[in-house]
Every structure is written in C-alpha cells, then in structure tokens.
Amino acid sequence: MDFQLKPHSVIPPTDKPVLVCILDGWGENLGDQYNAVHVAPTPCTDALKEDKSRWRTVKAHGTAVGLPSDADMGNSEVGHNALGSGQVIDQGARLVDIALETGQMFEGDGWTYISESFAENTVHFIGLLSDGGVHSRLDQVQAILKGAAERGAKRIRVHILTDGRDVPDGSSKRFVAELEAGLAALSGVDAKIASGGGRMKVTMDRYEADWAMVQRGWEAHVLGEAPHRFQDAATAVRTLRGDEAKPISDQWLPPFVIVDSDDKPVGTVEDGDAVVLFNFRADRMVEISKAFEYEEFSAFDRKRFPKTRFVGMMQYDGDLKLPARFLVPPPAIHGTSGEYLAKNGITTFACSETQKFGHVTFFWNGNRSGFFDEKLETYVEIPSDNIPFNEKPEMKAREITEAGKEALLSGKYRMVRINYANPDMVGHTGDLDAAVFACKLVDECVADLLDTLNSVGGRFLLTADHGNADDMVQRHKKTNEALLDDAGRPLALTSHTLAPVPVAIGGAGLPDGVRLRQDLPNAGLANITGACINLLGYEVPSHMEPSLIE
Ligand SMILES: O=C(O)[C@H](O)COP(=O)(O)O
Ligand SMILES: [Mn+2]
Ligand SMILES: [Mn+2]
C-alpha cells in the first residue's frame, strides 16, 4: 500500500488543528417529545444546520456500515470502524452469518480445537443473550449449539448475560425461554444454562472501566459462586427482576448460578473443558478473554485457573492477538486513516472518557489496541464514573472539553479527535429527562470547543456514530405511536436507532466555498473519513469511499 498522501487540489494543507468531534448516539430523527436531541435546547448544533452547504446527514446503520441487513441498527464498533477506515467492511455479525451459511464455522482451527473437548468434557458458551445484533445474536448461538451437538458434544453449559440495552428491557424472559427450548431440542446432549447476570453487572465490562464486573462473571461462570442460586434460569431472571411494575432492568441483574437439587452448581468450568465466547463484537470481550487466556494475570484473584480450550467467536484484538484461537476470522481492516496520518507525519490527539476511549482509538484504528507511531499519537482517557449514567448525565463532557481545548491551543496536533459519550450512554438508560440534559450539555461543550477552534484558525467536522438519544420510546410498528405500559407510561427505548446522523464542517480556517456534496444519497459513515482527510489538506486514498466534500 502506498501511504503517501497527495495535497488536495483546492484545500491547502494547514498546520492549524482539524477537530473531528463525534457525538456518540446523536441521530437526526422525527422531532417529537421523545426525541431528546430535538427536545433539548441545542443552539450550537442548530446553527450549524442552518448552513445547508456545510451540513447534511449520512447513513449510520445496516449495509451502509457492513451489517447484515438494513434492519440492523448501527453501533459504536461498526460506526467507528467505518469512520476511521473510510471503508464499508463486512462486520462480525455478517461474517458469522457467512461462516454458518457456508459451514466454515465448523471447519476452522478454532472449531477443531474445541471439538477435542466434545467427547469427554464440557463445552461452555458465554455471551450476551440477545437478538440485538450488536454484540451477539441468539439465532447464531442456537445454530452453533446445534452444530456442536451434531458433531459429538456431550455436555454443554451456557452462561448468559441478559441484555435490555440493545433490545427492550424485559425481553430476557423470552430469550431464556427460546434458549431453553433450543437446548432441550439437542438430542442426546446434557445441555443446560449454568450461570448468568445482567450485562452491565457481570462480565461485559469494557476498556477496564470496572474489572469487578469481570470478576463477578468469573466467579459465577467458572467457580459457580454468586450471591443468588436458582434451579433454573427462567426463575432466576423472573425473581431477580422483582416487581414487574418497577423491575430491575435486564442490564443490571446481579450474578446468579444454577444449581441442582443438592444445591451444587450445574456448570463450573474445569480442566479440559472448552470455553467459547459467542459475542462477535470486541470491546466487551477483551477483559474476560484475558482472564481465560493469560497465565499471568493480576486484574483480580481468579482463585482457580482451569486449563481450558478457549476460543472467541472472533479474534477481538488484532495487536494483542487476543484470543489466540477463534471461530471466525475478524473483519480485516487495513489502510485506516490513523495509519495514513501516522505515515505522513501528522500528529494526532484523541480523547474521550473511559466508556468511549477505545472507540476513538481501538475501533477507530480497526480494532488495534496499540499506536501506529507513538511519537505522533497522544491518546487521553478521562476516567468515567461507574454509576448508571442517568444519575449523572453530565458524565465527563466538561473534562473532555477542557482536554480538547488544551490540545487545540497547544499547537502540537494537526488532528484532534473527540468523542462525547453522553447522548449514547444516557440514552441507554431509557431516562428521557436525563437524555435531554445530556444533549443540552453536549451542545454547550461543542460550542465551547468550536470557539477555541475558531480562535486558533482551525477547521472542524462534527458527526455521530449512530442514533440513540433521538428516540427514547418504543413505538407501534405501523403507526409509529409511543407504546405504553399497563399504567399508561411510555415504554422506554434503551437501544440505538436506525436514524441517520448529521455531518457538519466549518471553522475559521476553512476556505470559503468548501462545501459538502449533497448528492450521494446513500453515503454513510465511511464517506466521512475522506472529508476529514480533505480538511487536513489531502486527497482521499483511492481504496476509501469518496469524500463528502465537493
Ligand atoms: O455495548 C453497549 O454499550 C451497547 O451494546 C452498544 O453501545 P455502543 O455501540 O454505543 O457502544
Ligand atoms: Mn456509539
Ligand atoms: Mn450505545
């Protein structure tokens, strides 16, 4: 690959900073009272929208970002992969579908490796029990379980993480029933659910925000230790949710273990067992992978470290080669903008708070945890709080803004990349008022950043990775009206949306007459990369999608 960037024919290279600002979970959607982006006073982003030659929307979901179908909502992994690479690449969900369709799932090295445990040992499956398609999909899990049974697995245990975040809260009950039915249909196999807990409480931490989550998961899945013990998963989920009029959300269910009639856990992980993490998405599988794979490990006391045949659905980290063995090769993302910038000596500053830190670094760089050139890249992580974010919807937006301003003023960076987590993380709580607060605050922070950017004569591109806060209510499929619960309250929507996202360019250093193309009706997030490279003063490399700039 020729990494030399060529000067742009119209936009001169600049030594002033180019700010790329991502509002995580900020979609352009129907303007009603359940759209927090619309309800919040947002004078700064509203003003950007006024200049139609420098504002438009692009697709952030479905096939435009490499997902299997246009019914798939976007998410941070595929969104930042596209934003950072300028390419539409078949993503994990799609690659697993293909591996199942072609049968390659059952022919690779990863499968051969786990199949050595089929006859004499237990095969454990751990992951998010959901059809959300963001981290995992239940239909894929069912197909793999069936495939294992048909190929000789004798004892299967599934460790479930309940969702309620990419899918409606309460759906865990239906997914447990579906999984139980699937397990019961595996003839001649002793197959059971063995442990579980809510995805925001157990196992699925990311970016080392809270290792205690992973420890709780390890204790439940591996050691069979948890504060709650039940004889079946349906009872576990129903009981732990509590009063359905005011339930504990699926996301936050405490860890539990399934026990037999002698109160003995039905599925601890033992030497010789195989362990499969069935999530295809990387961020929330990295820590648990380290716990299973690394001999040397100090994040928490594992108490017991069984020798397992351990695989991921994918390889989650390309730099760490983690895990070493996997069922499906991950998306091959090469020639990212980060690599181009580094190879052309362009200095970069990237910053977010913990919850989104890997989004603007790891995902942006094609699921690589390292640097392309440490001398040229500065990555700053502002530690996130470990609380439900509707309790403190300001999160770390102000601190991120201060760090961004300092980077802009320092004169050290030609690219400054910022992600604001609030519209997404608060949107996932389903709390409309908190989401409105989050959007208002983020708009103020953007205004503040843009003032600083203009004061140094920089250029900017503002966008988002997918929708979320732009719709906070579940809706009737045909009429689009809000769905209400038995007490007449709107049913919260905690997931992302299918909405397109805004793109705005500008800044005191952007030459007059630079405009966004208004054609390309199917443009998606991958078309934004070229625009960012243009703002730096260079032409878009030919393997990337066409730029949005005219
Ligand atoms: O992992 C999560 O928090 C959600 O499943 C998806 O949110 P994100 O794609 O914005 O991170
Ligand atoms: Mn996101
Ligand atoms: Mn999200």
Side-chain angles (χ1 to χ4, degrees):
M1 214 170 238
D2 171 18
F3 281 98
Q4 186 65 49
L5 286 170
K6 299 185 184 53
H8 193 266
S9 56
V10 179
I11 308 171
T14 170
D15 56 359
K16 302 287 189 283
V18 171
L19 169 69
V20 176
C21 186
I22 298 128
L23 313 182
D24 210 295
W26 178 293
E28 279 296 316
N29 213 336
L30 182 75
D32 72 4
Q33 76 265 38
Y34 301 113
N35 176 342
V37 175
H38 170 76
V39 173
T42 50
C44 173
T45 47
D46 290 351
L48 297 177
K49 209 167 172 172
E50 289 302 302
D51 182 352
K52 291 291 178 246
S53 70
R54 291 184 165 190
W55 188 94
R56 65 166 289 168
T57 61
V58 294
K59 290 185 178 174
H61 78 287
T63 50
V65 288
L67 292 168
S69 94
D70 286 337
D72 290 310
M73 60 197 161
N75 68 71
S76 290
E77 179 178 53
V78 303
H80 287 78
N81 281 172
L83 286 166
S85 72
Q87 301 160 61
V88 182
I89 290 158
D90 276 349
Q91 286 288 345
R94 170 103 186 93
L95 296 174
V96 173
D97 282 344
I98 294 171
L100 284 166
E101 277 158 30
T102 58
Q104 279 165 357
M105 173 69 71
F106 308 115
E107 287 157 14
D109 294 348
W111 189 268
T112 308
Y113 184 55
I114 60 166
S115 58
E116 287 165 41
S117 296
F118 283 3
E120 307 285 333
N121 300 85
T122 304
V123 192
H124 299 265
F125 291 86
I126 304 175
L128 185 66
L129 184 69
S130 170
D131 66 4
V134 173
H135 295 268
S136 65
R137 274 207 347 250
L138 182 52
D139 62 315
Q140 295 175 344
V141 179
Q142 301 271 36
I144 295 172
L145 291 170
K146 194 158 167 278
E150 285 167 0
R151 287 164 181 77
K154 290 278 166 277
R155 193 167 184 270
I156 288 176
R157 293 294 181 262
V158 189
H159 305 262
I160 59 170
L161 305 165
T162 52
D163 189 349
R165 186 172 176 89
D166 301 326
V167 291
D169 185 35
S171 57
S172 61
K173 290 173 284 184
R174 173 165 65 81
F175 294 131
V176 166
E178 287 178 18
L179 176 60
E180 293 281 24
L183 293 173
L186 303 177
S187 58
V189 186
D190 165 17
K192 293 189 171 81
I193 298 175
S195 73
R199 58 174 287 174
M200 296 302 281
K201 261 281 194 253
V202 178
T203 306
M204 277 177 63
D205 184 39
R206 66 177 164 201
Y207 308 143
E208 312 202 347
D210 185 8
W211 271 104
M213 269 170 76
V214 188
Q215 178 168 12
R216 285 191 286 272
W218 181 268
E219 288 170 356
H221 315 320
V222 177
L223 308 178
E225 294 171 6
H228 302 277
R229 299 161 85 87
F230 298 94
Q231 296 210 350
D232 67 90
T235 310
V237 166
R238 207 178 49 243
T239 312
L240 293 173
R241 280 179 59 81
D243 179 1
E244 277 296 337
K246 217 175 165 295
I248 300 206
S249 153
D250 291 344
Q251 298 190 52
W252 294 96
L253 296 185
F256 62 86
V257 168
I258 305 301
V259 293
D260 62 16
S261 50
D262 297 327
D263 203 36
K264 187 169 168 293
V266 300
T268 56
V269 180
E270 304 297 333
D271 286 345
D273 289 354
V275 175
V276 179
L277 298 185
F278 61 73
N279 287 13
F280 41 73
R281 173 159 152 175
D283 55 348
R284 296 187 183 277
M285 289 288 104
V286 166
E287 290 169 54
I288 186 74
S289 294
K290 289 179 177 170
F292 273 107
E293 186 141 301
Y294 288 177
E295 200 76 43
E296 297 290 314
F297 179 84
S298 57
F300 59 84
D301 178 7
R302 288 178 294 196
K303 294 188 198 152
R304 190 163 64 74
F305 179 47
K307 270 206 126 1
T308 59
R309 295 192 179 88
F310 172 65
V311 301
M313 179 72 99
M314 313 234 119
Q315 185 165 66
Y316 300 121
D317 185 321
D319 276 344
L320 298 179
K321 302 269 177 275
L322 181 79
R325 303 184 195 245
F326 44 89
L327 297 181
V328 180
I333 311 177
H334 300 297
T336 63
S337 61
E339 187 164 10
Y340 269 85
L341 266 49
K343 296 217 161 118
N344 285 270
I346 297 168
T347 46
T348 298
F349 173 89
C351 173
S352 188
E353 60 178 275
T354 311
Q355 286 294 338
K356 301 287 172 185
F357 177 63
H359 291 32
V360 278
T361 55
F362 173 76
F363 285 153
W364 191 275
N365 293 332
N367 297 0
R368 288 183 184 82
S369 55
F371 293 94
F372 293 106
D373 184 339
E374 203 168 346
K375 291 191 290 302
L376 296 171
E377 294 154 89
T378 302
Y379 294 165
V380 171
E381 174 186 351
I382 314 275
S384 288
D385 299 315
N386 281 335
I387 53 171
F389 292 110
N390 55 332
E391 288 171 20
K392 203 172 160 224
E394 49 274 65
M395 301 182 69
K396 298 298 176 200
R398 292 198 182 90
E399 292 81 348
I400 293 169
T401 308
E402 287 314 311
K405 283 162 61 180
E406 206 180 293
L408 291 170
L409 291 168
S410 72
K412 287 204 283 204
Y413 306 106
R414 288 181 64 194
M415 159 159 299
V416 173
R417 197 160 68 230
I418 300 283
N419 176 301
Y420 285 110
N422 314 55
D424 181 66
M425 296 303 286
V426 182
H428 280 303
T429 67
D431 183 334
L432 176 62
D433 293 340
V436 170
F437 179 99
C439 294
K440 174 174 182 291
L441 177 71
V442 164
D443 185 79
E444 287 165 12
C445 289
V446 171
D448 200 3
L449 262 186
L450 292 188
D451 278 349
T452 302
L453 177 89
N454 287 327
S455 77
V456 298
R459 305 167 180 169
F460 75 85
L461 184 147
L462 180 86
T463 190
D465 58 339
H466 52 75
N468 184 337
D470 48 279
D471 197 3
M472 297 293 293
V473 75
Q474 295 176 44
R475 293 176 189 269
H476 191 282
K477 285 222 166 36
K478 290 216 176 82
T479 65
N480 214 33
E481 275 166 43
L483 294 178
L484 307 177
D485 67 10
D486 294 344
R489 290 168 306 210
L491 278 171
L493 182 74
T494 52
S495 69
H496 296 170
T497 70
L498 300 177
V501 296
V503 186
I505 56 167
L510 188 62
D512 290 344
V514 175
R515 302 148 53 100
L516 287 177
R517 293 175 66 161
Q518 300 297 335
D519 56 346
L520 298 178
N522 289 318
L525 294 175
N527 297 83
I528 289 176
T529 322
C532 297
I533 293 174
N534 290 164
L535 291 181
L536 286 160
Y538 301 99
E539 298 286 353
V540 187
S542 59
H543 69 287
M544 291 186 184
E545 292 294 317
S547 170
L548 285 177
I549 290 181
E550 265 182 4

